[in-house]
């Protein structure tokens, strides 16, 4: 029971984080669209975070399939881990070491 509850809490936290990220990130991207400094890096970051958000949304949508069997569980896990990887790469792309 604790693992299931923890999973729900973690998934909800990730959903809230990426919803906030979309609400703040997209307007920021639009605002600085014509700024030439670090343009490619910012576009890469924004694209990666949008792909990760879509992946996390897909993970939530296929969560019910994960309860039905091992193939659904594998798909759910694969999509979640892939989304985490893309989000991590998007985050790391904005660190100063890549300037």
């Amino acid at each position: 029971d604790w693992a299931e509850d923890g999973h729900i809490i973690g998934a909800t936290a990730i959903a809230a984080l990426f919803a906030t990220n979309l609400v703040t990130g997209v307007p920021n991207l639009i605002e600085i669209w014509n700024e030439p400094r670090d343009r490619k890096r910012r576009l890469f970051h924004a694209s990666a975070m949008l792909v990760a958000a879509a992946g996390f949304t897909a993970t939530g949508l296929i969560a019910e399939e994960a309860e039905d069997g091992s193939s659904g569980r594998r798909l759910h896990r694969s999509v979640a881990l892939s989304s985490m990887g893309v989000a991590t790469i998007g985050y790391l792309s904005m660190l100063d070491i890549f300037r």
Side-chain angles (χ1 to χ4, degrees):
D1 283 344
W2 67 269
E4 189 173 311
D5 292 341
H7 194 92
I8 292 169
I9 291 168
T12 303
I14 289 172
L17 174 68
F18 275 84
T20 303
N21 196 15
L22 283 172
V23 168
T24 60
V26 171
N28 285 341
L29 180 63
I30 291 168
E31 184 178 322
I32 60 165
W33 185 257
N34 293 319
E35 174 69 36
R37 187 177 55 87
D38 284 342
R39 179 180 173 88
K40 288 180 184 177
R41 188 164 66 119
R42 283 194 316 268
L43 288 175
F44 176 80
H45 169 74
S47 299
M49 296 313 250
L50 288 171
V51 168
F56 285 126
T57 301
T59 301
L61 293 173
I62 60 175
E64 221 171 277
E65 291 178 28
E67 296 174 4
D68 293 340
S70 63
S71 66
R73 223 179 339 266
R74 261 185 268 126
L75 177 63
H76 178 77
R77 183 174 188 266
S78 296
V79 174
L81 290 175
S82 298
S83 300
M84 288 178 203
V86 171
T88 301
I89 291 168
Y91 165 75
L92 291 174
S93 72
M94 291 305 288
L95 295 180
D96 287 338
I97 61 172
F98 295 108
R99 283 190 180 197

